Amino acid sequence: MSEDRGPEGVAELLRAALTAHDTARLATLLDPGVRWGGEEDTDSTCHSRDDVLRWYAGLHAAGVRTRVDEVVVHGQVVILGTTIDWPHCDDPDEERPDRLFHVFRIRGGLVYDIRGCPDLQQALADADTVIP
């Protein structure tokens, strides 16, 4: 494979896949057992590549659009800062952040863990947390 699958290469491939809303390209970057969610399991925690792709495709189908505005490579971690455009929502109590940072942990050229953070400072702190 000619692509650089180090963190810098994965960062550019993630940016390209998310910018193009290309789930097929995104799939090539995810470990089959990738986990997406916080420390605690919830109903929305993803536990596989298929879960992540289904979740992402569902958000896109619902009209959610993201733009990657910032890329930080921190060791074996890629942090993407994104601006999110949500579709119109009639529920004023539903919080929908317009800015999120996603922490992608890389092993063997694939993303094995994804976490969302509200700001870059927390994303950098999360990036320093060891996840088995």
Side-chain angles (χ1 to χ4, degrees), residues 64-94:
V64 177
R65 299 295 181 263
T66 59
R67 288 182 309 283
V68 178
D69 305 325
E70 191 169 350
V71 178
V72 177
V73 176
H74 185 77
Q76 291 296 306
V77 174
V78 172
I79 299 170
L80 298 182
T82 58
T83 299
I84 304 168
D85 295 324
W86 297 93
H88 176 70
C89 177
D90 293 328
D91 184 355
D93 294 328
E94 188 172 347

Side-chain angles (χ1 to χ4, degrees), residues 36-51:
W36 183 6
E39 288 183 34
E40 303 294 324
D41 273 348
T42 68
D43 290 341
S44 61
T45 302
C46 297
H47 293 279
S48 70
R49 177 189 301 145
D50 289 341
D51 286 353

